[in-house]
Amino acid sequence: MVDSKQQWKAWLYLAPAIVLLLVFTVWPIINTIRMAFLEGYRGLEAVGGVSYSFGFGNFTKVIHYHKFINCLKTTILLCVLTVPISTFLALLIAVALNNIKFLQKGLQTIFFLPYVTNSIAIGMVFAAMFNIVGSFYGTENELIATAGIINNIIEFFGGKPVNWINYGSSYTANIVVMTVYIVWNALPFKILILLGGLQSINTQYYDAAKIDGTPRRRVFSRITVPLLSPMLAYVIITGFISGFKEYSSIVGIFGEGMGPADDPGRLNTMVGFIYDALSTNSQGRASAAALILFGIILVVTLINTQVGKKRIHY
């Protein structure tokens, strides 16, 4: 406990951090709420002295904007697909790593590498893997075409190549590519959290189950999962939050067009919608969309929290 006479020193040490939080966190949040309720707010016009009335017009414009529903649908679809798959795979990998003592540290490092790698760079690698490339080569300008690494693997096993991300590709194929990439990119963080949780479980539970001859599947479902439920709830909630903020992964694969060349914007998300509004100097509409996204994330988080209260074992 800091002596009351010496508290000014503590506040003095905290002052730089508090000032930075107020300037770069608290004020932007307050300003975003303010701009969201100013009808048709545009930053450049506001600087020029234009005044705006208070109202809900920005929210109405966002909801009735023809691309809003598509952005919302894509965002929700990616969340629903990627969060359960990535959580389940992370749990299996974490359990496997926890049981492998040989080279465990090295394997943890390998699995964690994607987390510290730039998502745009990883997206470009995935785009190259799924891309169908045709180029002219040689003195006679012969056309050298490749169906891409993934399609080459599919053909090796007797399948037919798929147009994943190129001109004329289907929405389903695009979603499959994004699901694979987002799941792969989300695994490291979840594996790290779940592995830490597994290593904190008292081994007496497993010793007792071994003495009783309990099958491994029952040990997994009756001991591991219940005792790991707080970490599972955490990675699920953070997974949904990250999923609703998805943007950079789509840019990494499809570029700023957020979709194949013949249908740009097909895979645009809520965050992409906000950036599009900012690029047209429509700060009021962007702020309203940001608050709508915040509301959606808040509702989903509260639902997960309420469900988790009945299933989490501490």
Side-chain angles (χ1 to χ4, degrees):
M1 181 68 67
V2 180
D3 184 29
S4 58
K5 295 182 179 180
Q6 303 295 326
Q7 284 187 0
W8 68 271
K9 292 183 179 180
W11 285 108
L12 182 63
Y13 296 144
L14 290 173
I18 293 174
V19 170
L20 290 175
L21 285 173
L22 290 174
V23 173
F24 295 105
T25 302
V26 178
W27 166 244
I29 293 174
I30 296 174
N31 195 38
T32 297
I33 298 173
R34 180 184 69 87
M35 291 188 296
F37 289 97
L38 295 178
E39 301 272 2
Y41 182 88
R42 291 177 177 269
L44 294 178
E45 294 177 359
V47 173
V50 178
S51 59
Y52 300 92
S53 60
F54 181 87
F56 296 90
N58 290 326
F59 295 92
T60 304
K61 289 180 180 179
V62 169
I63 295 173
H64 288 91
Y65 192 64
H66 67 283
K67 293 183 179 179
F68 172 77
I69 297 300
N70 180 65
C71 295
L72 182 60
K73 180 186 72 173
T74 301
T75 303
I76 294 176
L77 182 59
L78 289 175
C79 283
V80 171
L81 289 174
T82 59
V83 174
I85 296 174
S86 61
T87 303
F88 179 71
L89 290 178
L91 177 59
L92 294 182
I93 295 172
V95 171
L97 282 176
N98 191 50
N99 292 324
I100 298 175
K101 303 304 179 183
F102 180 68
L103 295 178
Q104 186 183 76
K105 299 298 182 182
L107 291 173
Q108 289 180 29
T109 303
I110 293 172
F111 277 108
F112 194 68
L113 282 177
Y115 188 73
V116 295
T117 306
N118 184 275
S119 58
I120 298 294
I122 298 175
M124 294 174 67
V125 173
F126 268 76
M129 292 170 60
F130 286 94
N131 195 22
I132 299 175
V133 180
S135 60
F136 289 98
Y137 177 78
T139 56
E140 298 181 359
N141 286 333
E142 297 177 353
L143 180 62
I144 306 298
T146 174
I149 298 174
I150 301 300
N151 279 331
N152 289 338
I153 296 174
I154 293 174
E155 288 180 318
F156 178 80
F157 288 100
K160 295 182 179 180
V162 179
N163 184 2
W164 296 106
I165 61 175
N166 294 84
Y167 186 97
S169 58
S170 66
Y171 180 77
T172 302
N174 299 158
I175 289 295
V176 169
V177 174
M178 292 312 310
T179 300
V180 171
Y181 168 62
I182 295 172
V183 167
W184 183 83
N185 197 35
L187 282 177
F189 175 75
K190 295 183 178 182
I191 291 173
L192 182 68
I193 297 298
L194 295 178
L195 184 60
L198 284 169
Q199 292 176 346
S200 65
I201 295 177
N202 195 323
T203 57
Q204 290 181 352
Y205 296 106
Y206 296 107
D207 294 337
K210 186 182 295 184
I211 293 172
D212 293 338
T214 308
R216 288 187 177 181
R217 183 165 53 183
R218 192 169 180 82
V219 171
F220 177 78
S221 61
R222 296 297 182 178
I223 297 178
T224 302
V225 173
L227 293 177
L228 205 60
S229 55
M231 279 64 72
L232 285 171
Y234 173 76
V235 297
I236 289 173
I237 291 174
T238 56
F240 273 106
I241 293 174
S242 300
F244 277 106
K245 297 190 297 180
E246 201 62 60
Y247 173 73
S248 59
S249 59
I250 301 174
V251 173
I253 292 180
F254 291 95
E256 294 182 359
M258 302 289 284
D262 60 320
D263 192 5
R266 175 192 287 177
L267 295 176
N268 203 2
T269 59
M270 286 296 295
V271 175
F273 180 90
I274 295 170
Y275 284 151
D276 290 342
L278 289 174
S279 65
T280 59
N281 193 37
S282 301
Q283 285 85 2
R285 193 174 69 195
S287 299
L291 289 185
I292 291 174
L293 178 59
F294 169 76
I296 294 172
I297 294 175
L298 179 62
V299 170
V300 172
T301 302
L302 291 176
I303 292 174
N304 282 325
T305 303
Q306 290 301 318
V307 173
K309 285 181 178 179
K310 300 178 181 179
R311 297 182 177 273
I312 296 177
H313 301 270
Y314 292 99

